[in-house]
Amino acid sequence: NIGELKLYAGALAFSMFCEVFFLYLFYISRGQTISVKGIDFSYQKKLLRDSLPIVFQNFAIVIYMKMDQLMIGKTLSSSELGIYSIAVTISQVIYFFLGALIGAFYPKIAEKRRNNENYEDEISTLAAVTVMIAIIFALCCIFIIPYFVPLFFGADYVRAADVIKIHSWAGIFVALTEANKCWLVFNNLQHYSMIATAIGAVCN
């Protein structure tokens, strides 16, 4: 439905506008001002050049995270796709939590990196913590969450529990990837992360 697609695109654009707007309010509330004067465009170009691998990596992530649903939609029925989509939505909840957790610790690790302190131990600890959280979540998906699927989505989606039990273990690799991405960015090696993600998309 084109109308629903436009509504979704509008809601997404509005949410991004709100995010930028409130960041701007926070910035000026700290006594800062925004002006084009004094901008070091050479530094901006360097930032853009260094961030391009991350941009392409995120594009590849979108491809391989949706490719499975596209393949199922083409090879199986729409009901099977609906069951799988519900399962993936539930099992991927942990991805956003892991990303938020790593994002919260990122400034602290970056500060240690800037001060030439041992930041790699911080990354290792963060990776261990996020992997442990992913394992706990996967175990919950095996023993607990399947009982709530028919309760929240109805009996027609009870088979989604079998997909959740398997798909939830992907969170472990997401945790390792996100922690590894921190180390790569700090060492300006993010193009390796882009290559690995692109290979994963092609294999998928």
Side-chain angles (χ1 to χ4, degrees), residues 5 8 12 57-75 81-82 84-93 95-96 167 197 200-204:
L5 183 60
Y8 175 77
L12 183 61
Q57 179 189 13
N58 291 334
F59 180 71
I61 288 174
V62 171
I63 292 177
Y64 80 66
M65 286 187 69
K66 298 301 179 183
M67 186 61 67
D68 49 1
Q69 297 182 41
L70 178 63
M71 290 188 294
I72 290 176
K74 292 294 184 180
T75 58
L81 176 60
Y84 182 82
S85 298
I86 289 295
V88 169
T89 301
I90 295 175
S91 62
Q92 288 181 348
V93 168
Y95 298 178
F96 302 101
H167 200 274
T197 304
V202 171
C203 291
N204 193 40

Side-chain angles (χ1 to χ4, degrees), residues 86-121:
I86 289 295
V88 169
T89 301
I90 295 175
S91 62
Q92 288 181 348
V93 168
I94 191 65
Y95 298 178
F96 302 101
F97 179 77
L98 294 174
L101 182 63
I102 291 176
F105 280 91
Y106 191 92
K108 179 183 177 181
I109 300 174
E111 184 178 2
K112 284 198 169 188
R113 172 72 170 81
R114 191 182 307 112
N115 296 331
N116 294 321
E117 299 179 19
N118 186 9
Y119 68 96
E120 294 183 345
D121 288 345

Side-chain angles (χ1 to χ4, degrees), residues 98 101-103 105-106 109 120-132 175 178-179 182:
L98 294 174
L101 182 63
I102 291 176
F105 280 91
Y106 191 92
I109 300 174
E120 294 183 345
D121 288 345
E122 295 284 343
I123 295 179
S124 299
T125 301
L126 183 59
V129 170
T130 52
V131 166
M132 186 60 63
E178 290 298 321
C182 291

Side-chain angles (χ1 to χ4, degrees), residues 135-148 165 169:
I135 292 174
I136 293 173
F137 176 77
L139 293 175
C140 289
C141 286
I142 292 177
F143 298 107
I144 299 176
I145 289 183
Y147 295 101
F148 290 92
K165 292 177 181 179
W169 291 98

